[in-house]
């Protein structure tokens, strides 16, 4: 879509159904920013990375935008400014992105030694869209540093890069459904926090095949196993293996693209819940894992996933709600969010296996990702893998990595070899 201003036609676009929430609740303490990083085999050259960003950004419409507030809805407008400046990383990650200090863009690119970091305000896209952009940025950077990687396509985007900007929620909406938001309060972890502004990161690297083998031994999927170990760690370390009044409930985002044949670069996911309600003392890990598997399996059907987003889409399409002014919609969305946010103990998302073109593989060591904190959730986990290595990435503002230690200790007890890396907040 576009609108005319004099001689120039400026492209504009609607937000996807999920994205409407993020501008309403975002701020310094609730940034709604996630990070995806790629580690290369060589030190990053800042000016070359800037050149790569300058070349790639105009080709990917979903990132070349700024956010505007209309009378009734937020919308995207083509930015048109120079790309944001690439900076060496100096601060803690996932800080709030202030558009007026970032050339109106809703993402930032930083680097540290041999790592490139892409931080994205969730209003733009989900993790799959972030990977899509970071991968192209990395390809372009490597072609500039290593001219021998260029072929007849020059600086064109790779064939596997998605550019679709459809709202797949709306396209796949079929009928209105009751709200899928769970408002029942979950067990929330209470512990001492890091000083204001600090942010703890801990990466655990492990062989993919070892994790798959252990999961198979327990009769569960890789994702179910890792979510189960997290829940077990909270149960043993924070609840001391005792019964509780509230369940440990982990929000697990599900990428909807494979279910609905979509390649959109906008947000397209829903949240399901992995739930365990301790009823007895000192339940065995196998019992906890079985309940986690059961709760996840019961929610993964295509029809149920469709039901989960249909309520939100029906509100967006409701002719009586459309003319309500934006400031009133913001108040309503913040209220709904505050009620649903405390329904989860934490979030664990699995980005999956990151694939890259074969010619770039020798220059890329690993991909990692993690999430900012949200209301009630002061520890989160992100899973991603590259080639034969899986990374489980913790982000947290708790002063002590109690849950993280228990998590990796359990993996080691199950025979998985884990290498730990932190950002210096946690030295042990």
């Amino acid at each position: 879509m576009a609108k005319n201003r004099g001689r120039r036609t400026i492209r504009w676009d609607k937000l996807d159904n999920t994205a409407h929430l993020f501008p309403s609740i975002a701020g310094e303490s609730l940034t709604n920013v996630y990070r995806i990083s790629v580690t290369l085999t060589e030190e990053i050259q800042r000016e070359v990375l800037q050149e790569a960003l300058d070349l790639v950004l105009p080709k990917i419409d979903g990132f070349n935008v700024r956010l505007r507030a209309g009378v009734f809805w937020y919308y995207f407008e083509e930015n048109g400014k120079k790309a944001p400046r690439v900076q060496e990383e100096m601060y803690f990650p996932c800080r709030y992105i202030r558009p007026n200090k970032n050339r109106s863009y809703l993402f930032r690119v930083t680097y540290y030694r041999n790592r490139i970091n892409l931080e994205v305000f969730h209003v733009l896209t989900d993790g799959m869209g972030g990977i899509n952009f970071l991968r192209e940025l990395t390809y372009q950077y490597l072609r500039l540093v290593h001219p021998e990687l260029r072929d007849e396509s020059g600086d064109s985007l790779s064939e596997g890069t998605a550019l679709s900007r459809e709202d797949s929620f709306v396209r796949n909406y079929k009928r209105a459904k009751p709200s899928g938001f769970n408002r029942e309060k979950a067990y929330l972890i209470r512990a001492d926090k890091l000083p204001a502004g600090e942010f703890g990161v801990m990466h655990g690297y492990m062989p993919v095949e070892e994790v798959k083998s252990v999961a198979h031994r327990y009769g569960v999927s890789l994702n179910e196993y890792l979510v189960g170990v997290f829940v077990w760690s909270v149960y043993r370390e924070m609840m001391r293996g005792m019964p509780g009044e509230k369940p440990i409930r982990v929000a697990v985002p599900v990428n909807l693209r494979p279910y609905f044949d979509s390649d959109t670069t906008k947000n397209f996911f829903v949240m399901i819940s992995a739930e365990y309600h301790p009823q007895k003392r000192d339940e065995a890990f196998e019992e906890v894992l079985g309940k986690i598997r059961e709760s996840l399996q019961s929610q993964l059907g295509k029809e149920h996933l469709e039901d989960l987003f249909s309520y939100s889409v029906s509100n967006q399409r409701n002719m009586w709600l459309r003319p309500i002014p934006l400031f009133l919609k913001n108040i309503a969305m913040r209220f709904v969010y505050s009620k649903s946010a405390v329904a989860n103990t934490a979030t664990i998302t699995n980005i999956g296996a990151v694939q890259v073109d074969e010619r770039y593989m020798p220059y890329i060591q690993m991909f990692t990702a993690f999430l900012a904190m949200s209301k009630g959730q002061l520890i989160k986990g992100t899973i991603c893998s590259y080639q034969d290595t899986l990374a489980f990435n913790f982000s947290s503002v708790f002063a002590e990595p109690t849950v993280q230690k228990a998590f990796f200790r359990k993996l080691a007890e199950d025979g998985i070899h884990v290498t730990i890396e932190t950002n210096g907040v946690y030295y042990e």
Side-chain angles (χ1 to χ4, degrees), residues 175-187:
R175 60 197 180 280
K177 284 286 182 178
S179 173
F181 292 112
N182 191 332
R183 293 184 175 86
E184 179 191 351
K185 290 184 179 180
Y187 170 79

Side-chain angles (χ1 to χ4, degrees), residues 15-16 19-20 22-23 32 67 76 106 120-125 267:
L15 275 62
D16 65 76
H20 287 293
F22 298 119
N32 287 284
L67 187 66
F76 291 128
L106 304 171
V120 182
F121 182 25
H122 223 315
V123 71
L124 285 182
T125 184
N267 290 292

Side-chain angles (χ1 to χ4, degrees), residues 16-87:
D16 65 76
N17 182 258
T18 293
H20 287 293
L21 172 67
F22 298 119
S24 301
I25 62 175
E28 292 289 351
S29 61
L30 189 64
T31 67
N32 287 284
V33 171
Y34 64 84
R35 171 184 285 196
I36 301 175
S37 302
V38 58
T39 303
L40 305 184
T41 58
E42 56 198 31
E43 294 264 327
I44 304 300
Q45 301 175 42
R46 187 180 68 82
E47 292 304 323
V48 179
L49 182 57
Q50 182 70 61
E51 184 181 354
L53 180 60
D54 293 342
L55 287 168
V56 168
L57 182 58
K59 300 173 185 176
I60 301 184
D61 290 345
F63 279 74
N64 188 22
V65 295
R66 54 185 171 183
L67 187 66
R68 293 293 203 186
V71 177
F72 303 111
W73 296 105
Y74 291 101
Y75 64 94
F76 291 128
E77 183 179 80
E78 180 185 353
N79 193 323
K81 296 180 181 179
K82 290 183 178 179
R85 292 296 299 168
V86 170
Q87 302 287 344

Side-chain angles (χ1 to χ4, degrees), residues 274-292:
E275 183 171 319
Y276 165 63
H277 196 163
Q279 302 289 331
K280 299 183 296 184
R281 182 174 180 175
D282 294 330
E283 286 199 77
F285 173 69
E286 289 79 1
E287 293 181 71
V288 175
L289 183 58
K291 292 173 182 176
I292 294 300

Side-chain angles (χ1 to χ4, degrees), residues 369-399:
F370 51 85
L371 307 170
M373 302 300 95
S374 55
K375 183 176 181 179
Q377 300 183 42
L378 303 185
I379 182 171
K380 295 188 178 184
T382 306
I383 306 163
C384 66
S385 61
Y386 172 67
Q387 295 190 355
D388 58 356
T389 301
L390 181 145
F392 192 103
N393 314 284
F394 277 110
S395 51
S396 174
V397 293
F398 288 125

Side-chain angles (χ1 to χ4, degrees), residues 38 53 96 142 153 189 275 309 333 354 393 395 397 417:
V38 58
L53 180 60
Y96 182 56
L142 289 172
S153 63
I189 300 173
E275 183 171 319
F309 64 77
M333 284 190 279
V354 181
N393 314 284
S395 51
V397 293
H417 295 83

Side-chain angles (χ1 to χ4, degrees), residues 277-324:
H277 196 163
Q279 302 289 331
K280 299 183 296 184
R281 182 174 180 175
D282 294 330
E283 286 199 77
F285 173 69
E286 289 79 1
E287 293 181 71
V288 175
L289 183 58
K291 292 173 182 176
I292 294 300
R293 181 181 188 278
E294 182 180 344
S295 65
L296 288 174
Q297 287 289 326
S298 67
Q299 300 170 73
L300 279 174
K302 179 179 178 180
E303 188 171 324
H304 177 70
L305 296 173
E306 180 187 288
D307 291 346
L308 289 176
F309 64 77
S310 291
Y311 173 77
S312 297
V313 175
S314 66
N315 283 338
Q316 182 182 342
R317 294 163 62 95
N318 189 315
M319 61 178 294
W320 302 107
L321 296 179
R322 287 184 184 180
I324 295 176

